[in-house]
Structure formats: structure tokens, C-alpha cells
Amino acid sequence: MKDEIQDIRLAKKEDLEKVLELLVNAADWLRSKGTKQWDYYLTDLEGNKEEVIASIENNSTYIVEHDGKAMATLTLESAPNEWDMDIWGKKAGDDVAYLHRLAVHRDFAGKGIGRSLLDWAENAMRKSGKKRIRFDCIADNEGLNRYYQKRYPLKEVINIHGRHCKYEVPLMKNPV
């Protein structure tokens, strides 16, 4: 399954429903695990669509498909949005990318796709000249924080819009 990540591509307007389906699928699974991360995709999908549409139009959202089925998505913004500025502060610099909405459809879970997407994101942002990737998640999402902390050190836990864990990935020129 890992080899199929080579099929990652920019999402187009016509992919909106597939991206939203991936986010709803992930939100439903997260809810079953007792976390409210992404609950708004279940309670107010229509009201949260605009941000996804904007990321697709900005060429920041990517999708991975297998045999015509959407298996994963992620968004890499080259500039901070309002949320990022709240979480990370107003100063960012042009050398930072912001990772949002990494989701793998549950039908493809446990196959290393999330890990492969993180590898891909690091390589893509390194090639684009970025020096860091920043992202966050709800602090009480213990499973996701454990997953991230297998790979990245926790930078900080903050109390903005609830408790959030912050991660910042330095992108070395030539990773070992």
C-alpha cells in the first residue's frame, strides 16, 4: 500500500466531495474513540466547507486515490491562516508550512499511509524551500498525540481554543 502514495496529487474542485468524505470518515472514527477533534465536520459540515474549498483553490490540498477510491488527504499551507496565527503567533516567516487535515480513510488504516504522507510532506516542503512544518491537534486526542510523538517531539501544550499540542518539524537539507 505504501507505494501508492506516489499517486498523490493536488485536489481539484471536483474532488471536494471526496475530500469532505475523508474528513467526515475521520471525524466519525475520532468520535468513536472519545475525542471531539474534527467534530464540526459531523455537526456542521456545510459551515466548515469554505476552508476546505479555499485550500483546494489555493493548491494546498492533496488527495491520494486507489482504484478510484479516495484513501487519504492532507493540506499544506505555505502561509498561516487565522487559526495558525492564534496557535503559533503572528510572526511566521516565509520558511514555514502549516499541515492541516491529514486524514486516511478507515478502509486503508494501519497500512502506513499516514506515515508515508508525513514523509512525502517533509520532502515536498524541503524541496520547496521551507525550513519547518507546523501542526497541532487537540491535547485530549491521546491516540493521535502518541502517533505524532513516535516521530516528532512535542513542542508545547497551549490553552488557545481549548488545549492543543503543538508540533514543529525542522526540515534538514539532507536528512539521514
Side-chain angles (χ1 to χ4, degrees), residues 15-145:
D15 294 316
L16 175 63
E17 292 307 316
K18 291 177 183 179
V19 171
L20 291 174
E21 178 191 333
L22 287 163
L23 297 173
V24 167
N25 177 265
D28 192 44
W29 178 75
L30 287 165
R31 181 182 272 181
S32 79
K33 295 294 181 189
T35 180
K36 293 184 184 218
Q37 181 135 5
W38 292 0
D39 226 27
Y40 44 86
Y41 291 125
L42 300 174
T43 60
D44 186 18
L45 182 62
E46 201 58 39
N48 286 282
K49 240 181 181 175
E50 285 306 313
E51 185 178 45
V52 177
I53 292 168
S55 291
I56 290 172
E57 289 174 350
N58 290 339
N59 292 323
S60 300
T61 295
Y62 297 84
I63 191 166
V64 180
E65 293 178 298
H66 178 65
D67 289 337
K69 180 164 171 92
M71 33 188 306
T73 186
L74 81 155
T75 296
L76 286 165
E77 299 285 357
S78 58
N81 62 23
E82 192 175 316
W83 174 268
D84 297 321
M85 287 189 278
D86 285 351
I87 298 291
W88 292 95
K90 304 284 185 220
K91 287 186 176 180
D94 293 337
D95 64 348
V96 179
Y98 295 87
L99 173 67
H100 294 283
R101 298 185 292 277
L102 170 62
V104 176
H105 194 283
R106 300 317 303 161
D107 289 351
F108 299 97
K111 300 179 186 310
I113 294 168
R115 183 176 52 250
S116 293
L117 280 173
L118 290 169
D119 289 343
W120 178 87
E122 287 180 35
N123 289 328
M125 291 301 95
R126 186 179 300 109
K127 287 177 187 171
S128 77
K130 300 295 183 185
K131 293 193 172 41
R132 293 169 285 167
I133 298 175
R134 291 177 172 172
F135 59 96
D136 66 273
C137 72
I138 293 176
D140 73 359
N141 187 338
E142 294 174 11
L144 186 55
N145 279 292

